[in-house]
Structures are given as C-alpha cells and as structure tokens.
Amino acid sequence: MGSRNRKHGVFEVPEGAGILTYINDKKREAMTIQYALDTAFQQMRVGGNRERTINSYEYIFRQFAEVTQLKYIEDITVNSIYLYLDSLKVSRETKLIRLKSVKAVLSRFHNNGWIQRKFWAGIQIKIDKKVKTEAAEGDIDKLISLVDQSTFIGFRDIVAIVTMYKTGIRIRTLGELQEHHIDIDNMYLNIDGSAMKNHKNLKLPIDDDLAQLFKTLIHMNNGIRSYYDIENRYIFITQNGSPLNNSKSSNNAISKQLNKYSKRFGLENINAHAIRRAYAKNLLKKGASVPLISKALGHSDIAVTTQYLDLDVDEVAKDLRNYL
C-alpha cells in the first residue's frame, strides 16, 4: 500500500502528459476562425472601437474565410490571402482596402498569441497614386441650381452638399450628424468623437444660411419619422426615416446621389471627396494656415493635409518668397 501512495515511481505519468493536456494543446493548435473572430471583436468592443469598424472587419474577414473555405486559423497562409484577393472582381484600390482589413484582424490574432509570425506583412498591392482635385466652385453652384429642391430627397441632398462645402466634414460623419450636434444659438457644429474618424471632438462654425437649412430639414425629418413611426434624431435620413449609414460600406445614400447627379448634369468632379477638398482649398485661398486647415478637416497628421491640398510647386515657391 505504501508503494502505491508514493508520488514518484516508475509507473507515474509525467506531469503534463495526460490526455486532457493533449486535447487542450490540440484545441489551441486548431482554433477555429469563428471562435477567434468572436473573441477578437469582443476585445475590440471593450477597447472602444467603433461598431461600424468592427462590422466592416467582420464582413470582410468572413468573406475571406468563405472564399478560401478555411475553418482554422492555423490554415491561413500567404497563398490563401492571395487566393482571396484574386477572387475579388473589384478595383485595385478596393482590393487594398480589403487587404488592410484582413491584415488588421490577423494582427489582432497575432497579438493574442494565436499566430506566431506575421507572414502577411510582405503582401502588398501597388496603387498608382492619382492626383485628386477639388470640385470647382462653379460646378457646385451649378449642381445646387439644378437639383430639384421641391422633393424631400432633393432638398436633403442640397443641405448635405452645402454642409460639406461649408464645413468640410466627411461623408461618413455627415451620416452620423444628429440634432444635438447642431448649436443653432451659437452657430456651431459640435461633433463628438463617436462620429469622427479620429475619435476626436470637432467644433466648426456655420453661417445663417446653413442654420436655416438645418431648421427646415429637421422639420421635414420630424414629419417623415412620425409617419413611419421611427425613432432617431439624425439630420440626414432616408425617405423612409432610416439612418443613411450602414456598417458594410463607407458610402451612403448621399454619396450615391452625388454620383447620379454628376452623370445626369455632366459634372465630372462632383463627389464627397472633391467637395471636401474644395472646402480646404477655399480656406487656403482666404489665407488660412495649413495647421488650421488640418484642424478643420479633422486630420490627425498635418502631412495628410498637405497631400490633400496638392499644392503646386510653383505656387509654393511664389508664396514662400513673401517670407524672405
């Protein structure tokens, strides 16, 4: 009996060699993509990431898993990523966005210790950089004059165009604007970080014309929401009273409308980015400094602002002479 109770002996099973340990090790090795995604996205939510960012990552990575028919994260390889990218019938710019999303999720897996090596780091998609220009002031004025403002959609679109042109906010931020963001008494937009790409609060002045447009649109919105029995306080809504933004796309109904107007009225450079750039260029022409414009645009890096303004080399040299 004494020998049976001894802790050490020739018949003792070494610590860590039991069947449960073996099963647990195999579970760690064969972690499913589903489990990894659920855990990673829960961590992101707790960490304060925006829900639309998480939803976008989830949509793209589940698409990746479906195309490659992978179940376990240990089966993800460089080849499987290239297989996914090759299956996409989209522009190279869109492929780059999808690749960045896949990389972001894989990096989360790596940080959790589920993947040991960042084998995806070397995968690149080269994009020929196109010089993006601002919308011409004359084209914006023409657009405003041609859109039918007698309908709700037309009037809403006009308010959206004027808002972007006079404040420079992004198309996604436009879709996130709510009534509490508008300070009519003090003539400001007070946009909290939840609606901003860089998560920072932004305060922008508005003029009397834009304030009046907001008042009229809010009145129309109230009638539509009441009719469809929908509760929200968004400034820009659909004709059915729903919010404009969705989780799967950076675009919304306003962006699609701008594309439609551009084709209908023969305006080549009418889109949300071009209007935002027009706002920035107008500030520059009026004497605003690049740091001030950077703040107004909500850029986290002033280098992004200088690229945004796309300053001509001769223009820079001429302006610099004034400081000699």
Side-chain angles (χ1 to χ4, degrees):
M1 291 293 293
S3 62
R4 292 179 182 176
N5 293 330
R6 286 184 302 177
K7 295 183 178 180
H8 302 285
V10 294
F11 298 107
E12 180 186 9
V13 177
E15 183 178 354
I19 187 65
L20 289 179
T21 301
Y22 172 78
I23 292 174
N24 288 334
D25 286 344
K26 295 303 290 181
K27 284 182 177 178
R28 282 194 292 270
E29 292 174 5
M31 179 180 291
T32 65
I33 291 175
Q34 176 67 54
Y35 175 81
L37 288 177
D38 290 343
T39 303
F41 293 146
Q42 183 181 35
Q43 292 170 340
M44 291 177 69
R45 289 187 177 93
V46 172
N49 291 85
R50 291 178 297 178
E51 192 63 30
R52 67 170 178 260
T53 300
I54 297 172
N55 290 338
S56 178
Y57 283 168
E58 182 175 16
Y59 171 77
I60 291 172
F61 207 88
R62 291 194 190 284
Q63 182 188 57
F64 162 73
E66 181 180 350
V67 169
T68 59
Q69 297 185 334
L70 297 178
K71 183 177 180 181
Y72 301 101
I73 62 174
E74 65 177 0
D75 295 329
I76 300 174
T77 64
V78 169
N79 288 338
S80 63
I81 296 175
Y82 276 119
L83 173 65
Y84 166 65
L85 294 174
D86 188 54
S87 73
L88 300 174
K89 306 306 178 184
V90 296
S91 66
R92 295 181 69 83
E93 289 81 4
T94 301
K95 283 189 179 185
L96 180 59
I97 294 173
R98 302 287 174 89
L99 174 60
K100 287 180 178 180
S101 296
V102 170
K103 284 185 173 184
V105 174
L106 290 176
S107 293
R108 175 71 62 166
F109 292 173
H110 172 76
N111 293 340
N112 285 337
W114 303 333
I115 298 178
Q116 298 303 313
R117 186 173 58 86
K118 289 188 174 183
F119 55 82
W120 57 88
I123 302 177
Q124 302 292 335
I125 295 178
K126 291 185 178 181
I127 302 295
D128 294 331
K129 186 177 179 181
K130 298 178 181 178
V131 177
K132 297 180 180 180
T133 59
E134 73 277 9
E137 184 175 358
D139 284 347
I140 295 176
D141 291 339
K142 182 178 179 181
L143 175 62
I144 292 174
S145 68
L146 291 174
V147 174
D148 182 6
Q149 300 183 42
S150 66
T151 67
F152 168 73
I153 294 298
F155 183 78
R156 179 206 66 186
D157 293 348
I158 288 297
V159 180
I161 292 165
V162 174
T163 300
M164 288 188 289
Y165 186 50
K166 291 192 174 184
T167 68
I169 61 175
R170 294 180 175 90
I171 190 71
R172 287 294 304 191
T173 303
L174 186 85
E176 297 292 330
L177 276 186
Q178 299 190 41
E179 292 178 17
H180 71 269
H181 290 137
I182 303 177
D183 183 353
I184 296 292
D185 293 335
N186 297 300
M187 304 294 283
Y188 283 108
L189 287 185
N190 282 308
I191 310 174
D192 55 69
S194 63
M196 295 293 295
K197 184 178 180 180
N198 62 2
H199 305 290
K200 295 181 180 179
N201 295 348
L202 184 64
K203 187 174 183 178
L204 297 166
I206 60 175
D207 59 19
D208 291 333
D209 292 338
L210 184 53
Q212 187 58 49
L213 287 174
F214 281 143
K215 288 179 182 179
T216 303
L217 184 60
I218 289 171
H219 175 74
M220 297 173 71
N221 288 345
N222 289 337
I224 289 175
R225 284 189 288 250
S226 176
Y227 181 82
Y228 288 101
D229 194 24
I230 289 179
E231 290 291 334
N232 66 61
R233 307 316 299 174
Y234 289 101
I235 297 297
F236 297 98
I237 59 176
T238 68
Q239 59 187 350
N240 298 322
S242 302
L244 291 182
N245 288 350
N246 61 65
S247 60
K248 295 181 180 180
S249 173
S250 60
N251 292 328
N252 58 33
I254 301 295
S255 182
K256 294 175 182 177
Q257 286 291 102
L258 288 174
N259 184 55
K260 185 187 301 182
Y261 293 141
S262 176
K263 294 177 180 178
R264 181 187 302 171
F265 303 133
L267 303 172
E268 294 184 0
N269 195 30
I270 290 294
N271 56 70
H273 288 297
I275 295 173
R276 180 168 154 86
R277 281 183 166 79
Y279 165 78
K281 272 299 185 73
N282 279 343
L283 287 180
L284 187 68
K285 290 175 182 177
K286 292 177 180 179
S289 66
V290 174
L292 179 61
I293 296 172
S294 184
K295 287 289 185 180
L297 292 172
H299 286 163
S300 57
D301 189 342
I302 198 171
V304 177
T305 310
T306 57
Q307 293 178 1
Y308 218 78
L309 293 170
D310 188 35
L311 299 177
D312 181 75
V313 174
D314 293 332
E315 182 182 357
V316 172
K318 181 179 178 181
D319 289 344
L320 284 175
R321 185 172 296 280
N322 295 327
Y323 295 93
L324 293 179

